[in-house]
Amino acid sequence: MTTPSGVTRLLLVCHASTSATVRAAFPGDEPLDERGLRRAEGMARDLGPGPAACPAELRCVQTAAALGLRAEHDPLLADCDYGRWSGMTLGEVEAAEPEALASWLGDPGAAPHGGEPVTALLARVSGWLAARAPGRAVAITHPAVIRAAVVHALDAPARSFWRVDVAPLARVTLTGRGGRWRLGYLP
C-alpha cells in the first residue's frame, strides 16, 4: 500500500514490558522482561523487517530487535526524565512526596522530581512530529512519548496527557498532512 503524496503515516509502537512496567514504577534503563520479549517476538511477523526510529534506551532497542526492526536512534523519542523518581513505584513516591506527586499530576509544567516537566516532553514530541517527512515510518518508543503524540494529534490541552493510557506493545497510527494529524488504533 502506498502513501498519498504529502501524507505522513506513522506507526508508533510502545516498548514491551519491563520489571518497571510490571511494578508500576517510574522507569530507568531496564531491559525487557521475559514475557515482554516473547510477546514482541510474536508480533515480529506483523511489522516485517525495516528501519524504526528508536531512542537509545535498552527497552526500546530490545523491542525493535525482537520485532525484527533495525533501530535508527533518535534522541527526541527518549522517555520523559523522571529525575529522582526513576525506579520508584507510584505508591512509593506518593508515600514519600505526596505534595510533589499531586503537583506533578495537577500541573503539566511542574517538575518536582527534578526531571522533565510534561510541557517540555509535549514540546519535544510536537517538534519531532513537525519534522516528519511524507511517507511511512515506524517508531518504537515509550508510553509517555506516545501519550504526548496523541495529545498533540488531538490538539488537546497539556492536562489531557494523564488521560491517555498506553500499554506495552500498544500500536497507534498517526496520519498527517500540513501539520494536521489523524489518530488511529490498530486492532
Side-chain angles (χ1 to χ4, degrees):
M1 182 174 169
T2 61
T3 301
S5 177
V7 173
T8 303
R9 183 171 171 85
L10 297 173
L11 174 62
L12 302 174
V13 181
C14 184
H15 65 74
S17 61
T18 68
S19 60
T21 56
V22 170
R23 294 178 37 241
F26 291 96
D29 193 19
E30 64 280 344
L32 299 182
D33 62 18
E34 285 300 316
R35 181 174 184 263
L37 183 59
R38 282 192 313 274
R39 286 191 61 221
E41 289 170 343
M43 287 178 55
R45 67 184 172 281
D46 295 340
L47 295 178
C54 181
E57 287 101 346
L58 183 59
R59 57 199 180 274
C60 291
V61 172
Q62 287 182 330
T63 299
L67 291 170
L69 299 168
R70 184 179 69 256
E72 295 181 351
H73 296 291
D74 190 329
L76 294 177
L77 293 174
D79 202 357
C80 185
D81 176 358
Y82 298 107
R84 69 176 174 276
W85 294 350
S86 290
M88 297 175 71
T89 67
L90 191 59
E92 290 168 342
V93 172
E94 186 172 33
E97 303 181 53
E99 296 85 15
L101 182 61
S103 171
W104 186 62
L105 293 173
D107 177 5
H113 46 57
E116 183 177 27
V118 168
T119 52
L121 173 66
L122 289 167
R124 175 166 48 94
V125 173
S126 294
W128 182 81
L129 287 169
R132 297 304 92 211
R136 300 172 75 83
V138 175
I140 310 299
T141 190
H142 306 281
V145 172
I146 295 173
R147 277 188 194 127
V150 168
V151 168
H152 177 80
L154 296 176
D155 197 22
R159 68 181 181 278
S160 300
F161 178 83
W162 297 114
R163 295 188 176 130
V164 179
D165 284 331
V166 180
L169 294 172
R171 297 177 290 169
V172 174
T173 61
L174 294 178
T175 304
R177 171 180 253 181
R180 298 180 63 124
W181 294 94
R182 192 174 78 232
L183 174 67
Y185 291 93
L186 296 174

